[in-house]
Amino acid sequence: MIILDMSDKRPLYEQVRDRFIELIEHGILLQDEQLPSIRALSIELSINPNTIQRAYAELERNGYAYSVKGRGSFVANISGLLPERVKDFYNELDALLIKAKTCGLGPIEIKQHIDEYMGN
Amino acid sequence: MIILDMSDKRPLYEQVRDRFIELIEHGILLQDEQLPSIRALSIELSINPNTIQRAYAELERNGYAYSVKGRGSFVANISGLLPERVKDFYNELDALLIKAKTCGLGPIEIKQHIDEYMGN
Amino acid sequence: MIILDMSDKRPLYEQVRDRFIELIEHGILLQDEQLPSIRALSIELSINPNTIQRAYAELERNGYAYSVKGRGSFVANISGLLPERVKDFYNELDALLIKAKTCGLGPIEIKQHIDEYMGN
Amino acid sequence: MIILDMSDKRPLYEQVRDRFIELIEHGILLQDEQLPSIRALSIELSINPNTIQRAYAELERNGYAYSVKGRGSFVANISGLLPERVKDFYNELDALLIKAKTCGLGPIEIKQHIDEYMGN
DNA sequence: GTGGTCTAGACCACC
DNA sequence: GTGGTCTAGACCACG
């Protein structure tokens, strides 16, 4: 479920965090489902429990999970996060479109690529 | 020409490097034009010359500049870099489109946003 | 009567304790009324009896309940607790007013807010 | 400047964090002023550098500070945080006013206390 | 068993 | 020198 890439320049805790965000956003992990325990996952991935702890803390901070002492960590209700994620998407898209301009790419080529990629 | 943002998370050398890439890609710095000397720029920005040196080295490594011992650094011919940058752009766009799907955004909304942003 | 929120950061025993304090202070549970038995409540809430036991022990320690061996736990006479609670309230209010100052809020705005909130 | 209370139930990193928030909000630490280095402060307080690091990370997350690798940590521009802090204040005040009601305190007594405390 | 905090000590990137 | 990440190992509170 989680795969670490030691050659990735991102810190391990970000890799773990982002992988869980992906799993939650794609609906593979459902609301209130229990995440692997910090200790179990740290053994499975052969990394320190503190690193998992940090990843889980960030998931909680970003609204993707909640944890209860003595019980475990669980997937949060993420329905409230959608507007924020849409806003994020458009911000990133705008940044990318600036780059497109400096490559000589116009709206027509980009839109065509989108149709090919997402289907129209 | 170069402005540093100390509260930016990126290291200074990356800020310097990326700013020059921007200036070069936008045609503000032209081919074979001389870049500021390391010493002059380090004084102007009040930062360590090593930091400028590293930025220039990266510019050279990425094909945006070349240096002549004892003469200085100059803007390279970047026409050969375009295909690579276009490829980069499409890779980043594809990653973003995956995110769009998980936000419930389809090609129609995205294309409309592009038209509004870039003009059609 | 008691509702647990698993995503609440507070431990379960505090949630149980505080909910009973609320019920007692609001006069919903009256003096000498019997609290639910530890066993019954633990089953109703699907949590460990030790958790209820701890909540009840704290209620007793804080003067909100008393227990009779073999009989159960009962609501205590809380009239003696009022002065202490008033004192608590003013202490917390004073701390909050310091914060108000650093936000540029003066007595007029605060008093107006109180009137709107509590009615005058 | 920073005093730790080992008997305080709050974790050390929260004590450090909250103390700096206090210093920043009260204008004792000014914008862009450098915070003590993580190592220096950890020695001064006789606690582990990781604990300071965590406190500083939270300050940064909450918009009170920014840090630059190789340079240090600095006080951020907090003017943008004011509306949020005002909102926080009113939320906490509302919670307190509920408590006041259960103590039999009405708006008149509370407003009088505010006048005595803040001056009118 | 669970998560949360802390220490000690290491290594890295940056300046 | 600075901050950032990670490991190893410990202790605590909670259930």
Side-chain angles (χ1 to χ4, degrees), chain B residues 17-109:
Chain B
R17 178 198 65 189
D18 291 348
R19 179 65 179 138
F20 273 114
I21 289 178
E22 211 178 305
L23 292 169
I24 293 168
E25 288 182 345
H26 285 62
I28 297 166
L29 289 173
L30 299 172
Q31 187 177 342
D32 296 319
E33 191 170 339
Q34 182 162 9
L35 299 179
S37 84
I38 289 179
R39 234 189 100 191
L41 189 55
S42 74
I43 292 169
E44 185 188 326
L45 299 179
S46 308
I47 62 178
N48 195 303
N50 289 331
T51 307
I52 311 289
Q53 159 62 31
R54 178 158 183 184
Y56 280 17
E58 297 237 331
L59 284 173
E60 194 168 348
R61 199 168 62 76
N62 295 333
Y64 286 97
Y66 62 93
S67 64
V68 185
K69 234 191 289 199
R71 296 277 313 278
S73 297
F74 304 85
V75 177
N77 176 344
I78 61 163
S79 60
L81 266 57
L82 198 61
E84 192 183 341
R85 293 183 51 233
V86 169
K87 199 179 139 204
D88 269 10
F89 166 78
Y90 281 121
N91 283 339
E92 292 177 44
L93 179 58
D94 289 352
L96 246 187
L97 293 179
I98 292 174
K99 182 169 186 172
K101 275 187 195 164
T102 75
C103 292
L105 295 171
I108 292 151
E109 294 96 324

Side-chain angles (χ1 to χ4, degrees), chain C residues 55-103:
Chain C
Y56 280 17
E58 299 237 331
L59 285 174
E60 194 167 348
R61 198 168 63 76
N62 294 334
Y64 287 98
Y66 63 92
S67 63
V68 185
K69 231 190 289 200
R71 295 279 313 278
S73 298
F74 304 85
V75 177
N77 177 346
I78 61 163
S79 61
L81 265 56
L82 198 62
E84 190 182 341
R85 293 182 53 231
V86 170
K87 198 178 141 206
D88 269 12
F89 166 77
Y90 281 120
N91 282 340
E92 292 177 45
L93 180 58
D94 289 351
L96 207 51
L97 292 178
I98 292 174
K99 182 168 187 173
K101 275 187 195 163
T102 74
C103 291

